[in-house]
Amino acid sequence: MRFAAGRRSAWSAPKVPRRHDAEAVPHVEARPEVSSKEPIMPRGTVKSYDPVKGYGFIAPDDGGEVIFLHETEIRVTGFPEAPIETGMIVEYEITPGEAYLLATNVREASI
């Protein structure tokens, strides 16, 4: 069925706002600002690290449970020639392990 130019059928789709933001479409929440920086990672201090054995522990800055650190997860520039040391402040991600929390993607903390 054809309609004359300019005429609409008895049924028509509801009008949709052209602007797609929180003001024009109230049921859509505004997106939070996206930062180009990397996500904030937990920080802690290397409590002990034995380069011969290849593991150590991190004491989190928030005072939580100590975190196991294995050499395969160290992302420090120059490692293993410039190993991490006891007292170094690091950033890391956490993965649950069997006996301890495990630190992954460990790197020197940015200032």
Side-chain angles (χ1 to χ4, degrees):
M1 174 184 211
R2 298 181 69 183
F3 296 99
R7 292 190 64 195
R8 298 174 75 167
S9 70
W11 182 90
S12 62
K15 290 185 179 182
V16 178
R18 296 276 181 207
R19 292 179 45 196
H20 295 287
D21 62 1
E23 295 171 4
V25 184
H27 65 278
V28 176
E29 294 181 18
R31 291 185 179 178
E33 290 294 321
V34 177
S35 173
S36 62
K37 295 182 179 181
E38 295 180 24
I40 297 174
M41 297 173 67
R43 295 177 81 155
T45 304
V46 177
K47 184 175 179 180
S48 65
Y49 180 73
D50 185 342
V52 174
K53 293 181 181 179
Y55 69 89
F57 296 92
I58 298 172
D61 284 353
D62 66 4
E65 180 182 344
V66 295
I67 301 165
F68 181 79
L69 165 65
H70 192 266
E71 68 183 355
T72 58
E73 294 298 330
I74 298 172
R75 308 289 184 258
V76 175
T77 305
F79 184 80
E81 292 80 22
I84 63 169
E85 299 173 354
T86 300
M88 182 182 280
I89 298 175
V90 294
E91 294 177 334
Y92 51 90
E93 295 173 11
I94 301 172
T95 302
E98 292 179 22
Y100 294 98
L101 294 174
L102 306 174
T104 59
N105 197 23
V106 180
R107 60 184 183 207
E108 286 183 83
S110 56
I111 297 174

